[in-house]
Amino acid sequence: MALHELSQTFSNARAVEAPRTVDLSLKSDTTPGPTQVPGALVQTRQLLTVLGGTGLAALGLLAVLCFGPTPVEPEAVAFCLGAAALSLVSCLWMCRRSLDRAEAARLAITRHAQGVEAAGALGLRWDLVTGDLVWSGDAGGIFSTGESRPASFRDLRHWLHPDDFLYASISQALKSGQKRVNWPVRIKDAEKGWRTFQLRGEISSTPQGAPAFEGLLVPIDPSQSPQGLEGFPSLPDIVESLPISIAIWDRENRLVLCNRKFRQLYRVSAAAALPGTSYEAIQAQTQEAIAQRPPEGRGVVGRFQLQERQLGDGTWLQIGEYWTGEGTLVSFGTDITMQKQTQHRVLEREQQMRARVDGFEQSRRQLEIQARQLRELAESYNEEKIRAEAANQAKSEFLANVSHELRTPLNAIIGFSEMMRDGVLGPIGNPKYESYVKDIHNSGRYLLEMINDILDMSKIEAGRWTLSPEWFTMSDVFQECLSVVSPVAMEGSVELSQSGNTGISLYGDRRALKQVLINLLSNAVKFTPQGGKVSLRAYRYRGSIRIAIADTGVGIPKHDLGRLGRPFEQVSNQLTKGHKGTGLGLAISRSLVEMHGGKLDIKSRVGEGTTVTCILPVQDEKDIVGREAA
């Protein structure tokens, strides 16, 4: 019976250790008692173990003596019973004392929890490695939306205000070795928007050595914050939400206050810009040079001064500084980047406008010089034109006079030579004179043709050649042209042929086109060797009437084709030597074709022949009748 009671008492003593596992995260600086309970319970447990072991040893020894083969002395029995009784009484006394201490600790923890709950606070244990959160207390007053309280920091994140960088603050505290925590935190409230709490506690280590935070989340009474009217935000909230950068430094160059805009401008976290942080520590946390910094010397008290500074990223700030009587510097930074950019663009545009004005002025002066030069050129041109017209008129008059004067004797020479050749008045005595008469006749006709060509070219250039258009068919003109050229072709053993659609009707100057074809056929026959061929072909092609004169003559080099058609221009080579001419026939033909609205196309290969094509537009009979009626 005694052993059973002793064992039960020892079990009860071990049960007293339960308060050791009670969550003490609600501790604060004002409740020192319960924090020492776990150490006392450990000592009590060790002492109960020793006493219980001693009593059990004494009872075991007594049992051995009583049931052993040797008789036992009464003194030994009394000693064992006394030792067992003493151990039992000591164990009972220690158990009672442990129970009293445990009860005192439980009452202290209960009173502490009641005080925290009455203040509306929550106990929080945050494992900084896993992110697990353990809450103690009633969280219904804080997380009142019906959702479960967040079990991890990831769940808590959407409850926190976007500008409260709690995780960054904890990380900064761990890096700097900071233990005590006393930070404002804003938590979402479905009814009131955002509620402000004070996070107070300490960063410690778990038994496994991992960092953990233990503390309280204490609500801040809005009535204690500086607020002008009910429902309006507090002064810290207003400063935090201002679009200008605000920083306040004390006389020791420590930060008193800064807002969100300041942290955004200089890329510094909220944890690194806590009140009391030195300027050097904040500057070390950001790569951007802080423009709103305490100067080397103290400024003039009560004086407000403005200055402009540019940050490394190109942002321009207009900084206003004010010194208070206590040596505190109040700095306001307004972002004027857009105004600076606008000023820069205005200056650039002004410079561009000035450059344009200078360019316009230079252009105006250049235009004046060019206008003066143009006037001088125009005057010179008019003078030269008058001279050219006078020279052209003199040339035309000279050619007309010379032609008139030359035609009369030439006609006489040609007429008399024909009479002498034909023996109208009788035969010539000497046969040698007959060849002379033929040469005189041929030379006279050649000279007359040359004079006629010169007169025709002169009329065309002077614009005095007038066309007399009429309707005619190609067959009639072809027959007349071939009859004129046939004697020369037969004399040179050149074959003449015609092909194509000779029944095509054409509206134009019959005499002029006949002259064109005769000139072209004569040239083709002239430069075609004996046994060669010259063909005349008429056809329609792509809305035009085309007359092609092709020969198998000597051909024309490609680089000389551009010279053809110019007055008095001739192409001479080894194959064309011995053929005399003025070079006006092709020029007259080109001009007459162009007067009909067409053009002359020449294609040739040396040794293979030449093809000259007259391309004439198709005339509509109705349009021609309408123009004649008008």
Side-chain angles (χ1 to χ4, degrees):
M1 182 65 181
L3 289 174
H4 177 71
E5 292 179 353
L6 184 60
S7 177
Q8 184 68 30
T9 303
F10 184 70
S11 299
N12 294 336
R14 291 177 61 86
V16 177
E17 299 179 16
R20 183 175 63 89
T21 62
V22 176
D23 186 7
L24 299 179
S25 61
L26 302 179
K27 65 180 181 291
S28 66
D29 297 339
T30 59
T31 56
T35 59
Q36 302 173 357
V37 172
L41 290 179
V42 172
Q43 296 176 0
T44 303
R45 176 183 176 183
Q46 294 174 353
L47 185 58
L48 286 175
T49 302
V50 173
L51 293 177
T54 303
L56 291 176
L59 291 176
L61 181 60
L62 179 61
V64 172
L65 293 176
C66 291
F67 297 100
T70 58
V72 182
E73 295 294 331
E75 292 81 1
V77 174
F79 175 76
C80 291
L81 290 174
L86 180 60
S87 298
L88 180 60
V89 171
S90 299
C91 286
L92 292 175
W93 180 77
M94 291 298 297
C95 288
R96 181 63 182 176
R97 185 177 178 184
S98 297
L99 291 174
D100 291 341
R101 289 183 177 179
E103 182 65 18
R106 186 185 65 78
L107 292 175
I109 292 174
T110 302
R111 287 193 298 271
H112 182 74
Q114 290 174 352
V116 170
E117 186 175 358
L122 278 178
L124 173 62
R125 180 178 179 83
W126 179 9
D127 191 328
L128 300 180
V129 176
T130 63
D132 296 334
L133 302 177
V134 178
W135 301 90
S136 48
D138 184 14
I142 298 178
F143 306 102
S144 57
T145 59
E147 301 180 11
S148 60
R149 67 180 67 181
S152 65
F153 182 77
R154 181 178 297 176
D155 300 333
L156 180 64
R157 184 173 295 170
H158 81 276
W159 291 88
L160 298 177
H161 195 279
D163 295 335
D164 292 341
F165 304 99
L166 182 57
Y167 188 84
S169 302
I170 285 288
S171 300
Q172 183 66 26
L174 287 174
K175 291 179 182 179
S176 61
Q178 180 182 351
K179 296 295 183 181
R180 296 280 181 173
V181 170
N182 188 8
W183 298 330
V185 176
R186 286 169 289 183
I187 295 179
K188 187 188 302 182
D189 192 332
E191 298 179 356
K192 300 180 181 179
W194 295 98
R195 293 181 61 189
T196 304
F197 295 82
Q198 198 72 18
L199 185 64
R200 299 175 181 174
E202 187 177 274
I203 299 176
S204 59
S205 299
T206 62
Q208 292 78 17
F213 170 78
E214 295 181 358
L216 297 174
L217 195 63
V218 183
I220 297 177
D221 188 3
S223 61
Q224 297 178 359
S225 61
Q227 186 171 352
L229 296 174
E230 185 178 358
F232 284 84
S234 61
L235 183 58
D237 293 338
I238 294 175
V239 173
E240 186 73 12
S241 62
L242 286 176
I244 62 175
S245 173
I246 298 178
I248 303 177
W249 308 88
D250 62 8
R251 63 172 63 244
E252 302 297 333
N253 294 343
R254 293 176 300 187
L255 184 66
V256 178
L257 177 89
C258 71
N259 64 347
R260 178 171 54 90
K261 185 64 175 180
F262 177 87
R263 297 191 294 270
Q264 289 178 351
L265 276 177
Y266 302 108
R267 297 178 178 87
V268 61
S269 64
L274 297 174
T277 308
S278 65
Y279 163 73
E280 291 76 11
I282 296 177
Q283 182 63 69
Q285 296 298 322
T286 176
Q287 299 178 355
E288 185 69 52
I290 300 177
Q292 296 174 257
R293 61 182 182 271
E296 297 293 337
R298 184 176 176 183
V300 180
V301 176
R303 181 180 177 182
F304 186 81
Q305 57 184 7
L306 288 173
Q307 56 183 333
E308 293 180 356
R309 294 180 184 175
Q310 186 179 18
L311 303 183
D313 60 354
T315 303
W316 279 91
L317 291 181
Q318 185 182 54
I319 300 175
E321 295 180 346
Y322 180 80
W323 289 88
T324 65
E326 294 79 11
T328 301
L329 171 63
V330 181
S331 177
F332 304 91
T334 304
D335 190 348
I336 58 172
T337 305
M338 293 298 294
Q339 296 158 350
K340 281 291 184 180
Q341 292 177 352
T342 302
Q343 292 177 2
H344 183 66
R345 286 195 295 267
V346 169
L347 290 176
E348 286 184 347
R349 291 179 181 176
E350 184 178 353
Q351 293 175 356
Q352 293 175 358
M353 291 299 294
R354 289 179 178 176
R356 289 180 181 178
V357 170
D358 294 340
F360 291 154
E361 184 65 22
Q362 294 178 0
S363 300
R364 185 185 63 80
R365 290 194 293 267
Q366 187 67 24
L367 288 175
E368 289 179 352
I369 296 173
Q370 292 177 355
R372 185 170 61 253
Q373 293 175 350
L374 286 175
R375 286 194 299 269
E376 294 174 355
L377 289 175
E379 294 174 357
S380 301
Y381 171 77
N382 290 331
E383 293 177 358
E384 295 298 330
K385 182 180 178 181
I386 293 172
R387 291 177 183 175
E389 289 176 351
N392 190 33
Q393 182 67 24
K395 180 193 73 172
S396 299
E397 292 177 357
F398 170 77
L399 290 176
N401 293 330
V402 169
S403 299
H404 178 72
E405 295 297 331
L406 289 177
R407 276 181 176 182
T408 301
L410 278 176
N411 288 329
I413 293 172
I414 294 172
F416 291 150
S417 63
E418 287 179 354
M419 292 178 63
M420 294 173 66
R421 182 193 63 187
D422 295 338
V424 175
L425 299 179
I428 299 176
N430 192 342
K432 191 71 173 177
Y433 290 154
E434 293 182 2
S435 62
Y436 293 162
V437 169
K438 290 181 181 180
D439 292 339
I440 293 171
H441 181 268
N442 292 334
S443 299
R445 292 189 63 85
Y446 172 73
L447 186 58
L448 182 61
E449 291 176 359
M450 184 181 66
I451 292 173
N452 290 333
D453 288 342
I454 292 174
L455 288 175
D456 292 341
M457 196 69 219
S458 178
K459 288 181 181 180
I460 292 173
E461 289 181 350
R464 294 199 301 269
W465 185 293
T466 58
L467 298 177
S468 300
E470 59 179 322
W471 284 103
F472 60 92
T473 58
M474 291 285 101
S475 59
D476 298 337
V477 177
F478 280 12
Q479 291 299 328
E480 294 176 4
C481 294
L482 292 175
S483 63
V484 173
V485 182
S486 293
V488 182
M490 292 177 62
E491 184 179 353
S493 299
V494 176
E495 180 183 351
L496 287 177
S497 63
Q498 64 174 345
S499 61
N501 186 6
T502 58
I504 298 175
S505 296
L506 183 65
Y507 185 78
D509 192 325
R510 178 174 180 148
R511 185 180 65 85
L513 291 177
K514 179 180 175 181
Q515 182 177 352
V516 170
L517 296 180
I518 291 175
N519 288 339
L520 297 177
L521 286 170
S522 298
N523 286 338
V525 171
K526 182 190 301 184
F527 295 102
T528 301
Q530 291 184 356
K533 295 181 181 181
V534 175
S535 62
L536 181 62
R537 179 189 174 203
Y539 60 96
R540 293 179 182 271
Y541 183 75
R542 292 186 178 181
S544 63
I545 298 174
R546 302 196 175 194
I547 305 172
I549 294 94
D551 62 62
T552 59
V554 295
I556 304 170
K558 186 176 182 180
H559 60 275
D560 288 331
L561 290 176
R563 297 166 50 196
L564 296 178
R566 299 176 185 173
F568 302 102
E569 286 281 350
Q570 284 185 309
V571 178
S572 60
N573 52 33
Q574 295 296 329
L575 299 176
T576 60
K577 286 183 178 180
H579 297 283
K580 56 185 178 179
T582 60
L584 291 175
L586 192 58
I588 293 172
S589 299
R590 180 185 292 274
S591 299
L592 292 177
V593 171
E594 290 177 352
M595 290 175 66
H596 281 80
K599 64 178 181 178
L600 211 62
D601 181 61
I602 303 176
K603 295 180 180 178
S604 179
R605 288 187 179 181
V606 177
E608 296 182 6
T610 304
T611 300
V612 181
T613 305
C614 300
I615 304 174
L616 300 171
V618 177
Q619 299 289 345
D620 191 355
E621 188 172 358
K622 295 181 180 180
D623 294 340
I624 295 173
V625 173
R627 289 200 300 267
E628 292 178 351

